[in-house]
């Protein structure tokens, strides 16, 4: 499992972009496009599911139970 310290700047930006998109990017069905919406309604489940996908892509999901180590 990788930690945030081990991510490149590009990977950290990808993670930040995923959070921002999960919270505020909305598909506009009328125009068949995406829009940034500060009032977008979202569920915690959907946001967490999207972030779990990104964490998986970045190899940040533990494969087994590990003891927590405090950050330096």
């Amino acid at each position: 499992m990788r930690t945030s310290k081990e991510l490149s700047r590009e990977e950290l930006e990808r993670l930040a972009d995923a959070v921002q998109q999960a919270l505020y990017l909305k598909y506009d069905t009328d125009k068949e496009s995406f829009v940034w919406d500060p009032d977008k309604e979202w569920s915690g489940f959907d946001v967490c599911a999207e972030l779990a996908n990104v964490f998986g892509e970045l190899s940040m999901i533990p494969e087994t139970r590990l003891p927590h180590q405090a950050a330096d």
Side-chain angles (χ1 to χ4, degrees):
M1 174 184 83
R2 296 170 69 199
T3 64
S4 57
K5 289 181 186 181
E6 298 171 296
L7 298 179
S8 67
R9 178 178 174 97
E10 181 179 282
E11 290 169 323
L12 289 169
E13 288 175 1
R14 167 133 169 59
L15 190 54
D17 286 344
V19 171
Q20 187 179 38
Q21 290 176 25
L23 295 175
Y24 304 113
L25 192 62
K26 179 178 168 183
Y27 182 69
D28 185 347
T29 54
D30 295 336
K31 298 180 182 177
E32 294 188 9
S33 63
F34 288 93
V35 295
W36 291 105
D37 183 356
D39 299 318
K40 175 187 171 187
E41 291 187 28
W42 46 266
S43 75
F45 176 83
D46 292 337
V47 172
C48 288
E50 179 59 32
L51 295 179
N53 289 336
V54 176
F55 273 62
E57 292 168 8
L58 296 174
S59 300
M60 295 183 74
I61 298 174
E63 294 179 18
T64 60
R65 289 186 68 156
L66 300 170
H68 179 269
Q69 295 178 357
D72 295 334

